[in-house]
Amino acid sequence: MAARPTWKGYLKISLVNIPVRVFPATDAAATISFNQLHRECRTRIQQKRWCPTCQTEVANTDLVKGYEFEKGKYVVLDEEDIAKVRPESTRVINIIQFADASVIDPVYVERPYYLAPDGNVAAEAFAVMREGMAGKAAVGKVALYGREYLVAIQPRENGLVMYTLRHASEVRAMGAIDELKSVPAKIKPDEVKLARQVISNFESEGDLTQYQDDYQNELRKIVDAKIAGEEIVATEVEDPPKVVDLMEALRKSLNAVSTEKKKPVKAALKKAKAKSPALASAKAANGARKRKAG
């Protein structure tokens, strides 16, 4: 099924306005979701808005937005009040600045979207700006779903990817975590050297497409088994052993990785010998010579 845009508007870079469509970059349907049921009759429950003061269910038309400025005290804002603080345009991604792509800290990234040109006329200008942005990230603002977002836009394949960003006030400083204060400033060079050796054995090109969600896969198996009236026995989960001697643990890790790397090589050699007629003949001839000598 073709992806459907969730927003249409303009990408504004200085005096250049490019009609674009915005598509979600993630698929929520890939994750198994559950409904809440009444245990007794297996009926899906209803979420009702209940007023404990009036002891009654409240209709959507009787709901207002309230901000709690003191415990139990609220100031009410209606739609007219909220409209006064909305951006002038909700149809423009307004680019404010460009920066090197590496300056976008992942901790600020909230949600990814794909940008595509809206129509053939916009496609050429879209392609030109995408190429011009190589290695760069555009930082701007856009109004989505009733609020204004800070966004970063970068080239990706033949399109653009837009990340909604958290504002600095929403990101907690790491200095606020007391447990990090116990991390030592001085560390043993030998341990670091061995740690880097272990890490180097796991280095790859970082292809994330090779990984699957094992939890979701196992959850799907349980769901299918339940539908079929079967039961699955849960595997026992053991806690990982505590590291008492770091150097010893690193050495064991290095040895374990080396052993695992040798296994495929040995298996491949054994398989090659079994398949090779020349190797088989040489082996037979060598055996014959040994028998004759004996």
Side-chain angles (χ1 to χ4, degrees), residues 69-82:
F69 62 94
E70 289 182 14
K71 187 66 175 178
K73 293 184 178 180
Y74 301 87
V75 59
V76 174
L77 276 75
D78 56 30
E79 291 302 320
E80 290 183 1
D81 294 323
I82 295 173

Side-chain angles (χ1 to χ4, degrees), residues 33-175:
S33 59
F34 296 96
N35 295 310
Q36 292 183 320
L37 310 178
H38 184 194
R39 184 189 297 275
E40 183 177 334
C41 63
R42 299 294 194 266
T43 301
R44 184 174 176 178
I45 67 167
Q46 298 178 351
Q47 300 285 358
K48 295 185 177 181
R49 295 173 174 84
W50 182 261
C51 176
T53 300
C54 300
Q55 290 291 300
T56 185
E57 184 179 351
V58 181
N60 287 340
T61 53
D62 291 330
L63 295 175
V64 293
K65 291 182 173 67
Y67 174 76
E68 188 176 27
F69 62 94
E70 289 182 14
K71 187 66 175 178
K73 293 184 178 180
Y74 301 87
V75 59
V76 174
L77 276 75
D78 56 30
E79 291 302 320
E80 290 183 1
D81 294 323
I82 295 173
K84 293 174 183 177
V85 297
R86 283 178 179 162
E88 292 182 5
S89 176
T90 59
R91 309 304 298 169
V92 175
I93 304 170
N94 188 28
I95 301 303
I96 302 168
Q97 65 174 340
F98 284 90
D100 191 272
S102 62
V103 305
I104 304 300
D105 191 336
V107 76
Y108 283 85
V109 175
E110 192 171 46
R111 183 174 296 177
Y113 295 88
Y114 292 142
L115 298 187
D118 188 8
N120 294 330
V121 176
E124 185 175 350
F126 182 91
V128 169
M129 295 309 298
R130 183 204 64 215
E131 288 300 308
M133 289 171 59
K136 302 292 182 182
V139 178
K141 291 185 176 183
V142 64
L144 289 172
Y145 317 123
R147 60 164 288 191
E148 185 180 68
Y149 286 92
L150 186 67
V151 297
I153 301 174
Q154 295 174 267
R156 183 182 176 90
E157 299 176 13
N158 64 335
L160 296 170
V161 60
M162 178 177 76
Y163 302 99
T164 54
L165 303 175
R166 299 177 179 91
H167 287 83
S169 60
E170 299 176 274
V171 178
R172 181 180 286 117
M174 289 189 75

Side-chain angles (χ1 to χ4, degrees), residues 185-204:
K186 293 183 178 180
I187 47 184
K188 298 175 182 178
D190 289 344
E191 291 181 346
V192 175
K193 182 180 178 181
L194 198 53
R196 285 174 177 162
Q197 284 183 278
V198 173
I199 291 168
S200 66
N201 280 299
F202 290 90
E203 287 181 352
S204 68

Side-chain angles (χ1 to χ4, degrees), residues 14-35:
S14 187
L15 300 179
V16 179
N17 291 287
I18 305 171
V20 294
R21 297 183 180 190
V22 175
F23 300 81
T26 55
D27 185 7
T31 303
I32 294 175
S33 59
F34 296 96
N35 295 310

Side-chain angles (χ1 to χ4, degrees), residues 268-277 279-280:
L269 287 172
K270 188 176 181 181
K271 190 175 181 182
K273 288 179 180 179
K275 287 185 176 181
S276 174
L279 285 172

Side-chain angles (χ1 to χ4, degrees), residues 126-286:
F126 182 91
V128 169
M129 295 309 298
R130 183 204 64 215
E131 288 300 308
M133 289 171 59
K136 302 292 182 182
V139 178
K141 291 185 176 183
V142 64
L144 289 172
Y145 317 123
R147 60 164 288 191
E148 185 180 68
Y149 286 92
L150 186 67
V151 297
I153 301 174
Q154 295 174 267
R156 183 182 176 90
E157 299 176 13
N158 64 335
L160 296 170
V161 60
M162 178 177 76
Y163 302 99
T164 54
L165 303 175
R166 299 177 179 91
H167 287 83
S169 60
E170 299 176 274
V171 178
R172 181 180 286 117
M174 289 189 75
I177 302 173
D178 291 335
E179 286 78 359
L180 289 175
K181 295 175 182 177
S182 62
V183 177
K186 293 183 178 180
I187 47 184
K188 298 175 182 178
D190 289 344
E191 291 181 346
V192 175
K193 182 180 178 181
L194 198 53
R196 285 174 177 162
Q197 284 183 278
V198 173
I199 291 168
S200 66
N201 280 299
F202 290 90
E203 287 181 352
S204 68
E205 295 180 357
D207 179 17
L208 299 182
T209 60
Q210 64 181 304
Y211 299 105
Q212 295 185 3
D213 190 333
D214 294 330
Y215 178 81
Q216 288 291 317
N217 292 339
E218 290 300 313
L219 194 58
R220 171 59 65 188
K221 288 180 182 178
I222 293 175
V223 169
D224 292 341
K226 282 280 190 179
I227 293 171
E230 302 171 356
E231 285 291 341
I232 293 181
V233 179
T235 54
E236 189 174 341
V237 179
E238 296 182 1
D239 291 332
K242 292 183 179 179
V243 176
V244 179
D245 187 335
L246 179 58
M247 285 292 284
E248 183 62 22
L250 288 170
R251 289 192 187 99
K252 286 182 177 179
S253 298
L254 200 57
N255 292 334
V257 172
S258 299
T259 303
E260 287 299 314
K261 282 189 172 183
K262 289 175 182 177
K263 284 181 180 178
V265 175
K266 288 182 178 178
L269 287 172
K270 188 176 181 181
K271 190 175 181 182
K273 288 179 180 179
K275 287 185 176 181
S276 174
L279 285 172
S281 300
K283 188 177 181 181
N286 187 42

